[in-house]
Amino acid sequence: MYLHTCIFIFTAAAMTAFAQSTASPAKAPAALNVHKIGKVVVTVSFRTRQEGWGWFTPDAGDPNYTFSGNILRLSLSQAKENWSWQTEFAVPILLGLPQNAQGPGAQGALGFGSNYFTANSRQQNSAMFFPKQAFLSFKNQRLVTRVGRFEFNDGSEMTPKNGTLAALKASRINMRLLGHFAFTHVGRSFDGLHLSHTTTKGNVTFVGAVPTRGVFQTDGWGWNQVAFGYGSYTKPFTNKNYTNETRIFGLYYDDWRFITKTDNRSLALRNADRANSIKIGTFGGHSLHAIDTKVATYDLLFWGATQTGKWGNQDHQAYSFDVEGGFQPKAKSLLKLKPWVRAGYSVSSGDDNPADNQHRTFFQVMPTPRPFARFPFFNMMNNKDIYSGVILRPHPKLSISSEFHSLGLQTSKDLWYSGGGVFQPWTFGYAGRNTSGAKSLANLYDSSVDITLNPAVSLNLYYGYAQGLSAIRAIYPKGQSGSFGFVELVYKF
């Protein structure tokens, strides 16, 4: 009820401000949100979000709670002719975290509030100051080299000039395997080397780095005993009314932490395998297509990856793929709403035999899961997702989207997984729940509203409802329905 009241109040205020801004737009300053101290450019942003969780009903513990998550970011940078530098500091602030959002046994953490509380020494309020980014960048003709601490998202090597492909890439491609997890109130960065070579024919990128701590832990100073190497080639293509972008990539992940892995083996077998590292190679790519006709703009998306390597003392073989399509009709009666209708189907492999020496669960590495699971109670591991959605854009400052996901497990002999990868040395980063042979996970219905009040302020609203099915019912027999919503304000000054 409290979250619903907050959403109502914030929506009413936002709609009023939105109406005023569209009725009599103010003239924006020439250099909004950019300040200078001598030749050093200073930018500041603050994001505040009130989250409301209604997790599936456990046997004990509180699944219903709200808390406030905030992050302040201060960036200092300077650009020279052939080189530049940037230092960015972050201050995450968590207020009112739930103390009892933990269920017994497999019921586990009851939403992100529990993750934040546990990761920060079980404190209801937590804050920290740390360097989010600190790097030198060198430019030699078309080659850009970054050294230090930086953020990186796989798939973001190039931004298509076509608006449809750019929007698709940002929402359905980027961050599937490597991401800065900025949806959380801390996020993650990478310490290492980033090379990018761009020409009119395409882009070649290489990244070798170690992930920082963070995500749920407000202390983002340290590192993890994990490293990765990533390389990609991205090629755009345009011919009259047809636009395409194709990327191929390779990703090597090495995790040598002495820690219990999350998989479908018995606890005794997993504990005996703690000393053996995870070494996985992932190879794949994506292909995006946009076709502009007099009737509509059509789009197609293909993404896929295969994996090989070692999962501790097990051999690892896995795969994942996603196929999606959509259209934006140009009928005059719909032009004011600018609708975009999309649908898709994705599958990621699971392990169908916990007793053999093979690990077949697709490993999502270190993604930002939220773009693909807006109510983040699942991820791409051992997962089937039949997806449909519609986006309405009645004004350049307003976007409304609704999605439906029919979710299930690829194999009933594996676990229901959630999480986004390593964030501290002593926590694996993924949770798995045994559904006792059930495969149907949930039907997810959700909607979001994104409003740009002015160039400095934006408001984002979200609500998702999950109708839990047999897999969730097996773990939460007292109540298999869940919900998640938030009100978020972003201010750049």
Side-chain angles (χ1 to χ4, degrees), residues 10 57 67 102 114 144 161 197 242 248 256 266 289 298 303 333 348 423 427 432 462 469:
F10 272 77
T57 307
F67 69 90
Q102 181 77 24
S114 177
V144 177
K161 295 181 180 179
H197 186 269
Y242 170 71
I248 56 173
W256 61 92
S266 68
H289 307 262
Y298 299 92
W303 181 94
S333 59
S348 296
F423 64 91
T427 302
Y462 172 82
L469 301 176

Side-chain angles (χ1 to χ4, degrees), residues 351-477:
D351 188 88
D352 58 3
N353 187 353
D356 66 7
N357 195 41
Q358 299 288 324
H359 181 260
R360 298 181 179 87
T361 307
F362 183 77
F363 182 58
Q364 208 176 343
V365 195
M366 291 179 288
T368 300
R370 212 267 165 172
F372 315 101
R374 302 206 300 179
F375 179 176
F377 65 90
F378 64 98
N379 60 22
M380 287 172 52
M381 297 164 63
N382 186 36
N383 181 259
K384 283 185 178 181
D385 184 355
I386 300 173
Y387 147 82
S388 63
V390 60
I391 302 172
L392 303 177
R393 298 155 292 178
H395 191 277
K397 295 183 178 182
L398 175 63
S399 176
I400 304 167
S401 67
S402 293
E403 294 184 1
F404 168 75
H405 295 261
S406 176
L407 300 164
L409 307 184
Q410 169 67 356
T411 173
S412 61
K413 295 181 180 180
D414 204 350
L415 308 180
W416 156 29
Y417 292 94
S418 61
V422 57
F423 64 91
Q424 56 185 197
W426 49 87
T427 302
F428 187 70
Y430 288 105
R433 295 174 171 90
N434 190 333
T435 63
S436 302
K439 290 183 67 174
S440 299
L441 188 61
N443 292 322
L444 173 59
Y445 310 84
D446 71 8
S447 294
S448 65
V449 179
D450 300 313
I451 307 168
T452 302
L453 299 177
N454 58 54
V457 183
S458 62
L459 179 68
N460 308 301
L461 307 146
Y462 172 82
Y463 181 78
Y465 171 78
Q467 176 193 11
L469 301 176
S470 60
I472 292 180
R473 189 182 304 118
I475 299 173
Y476 300 97

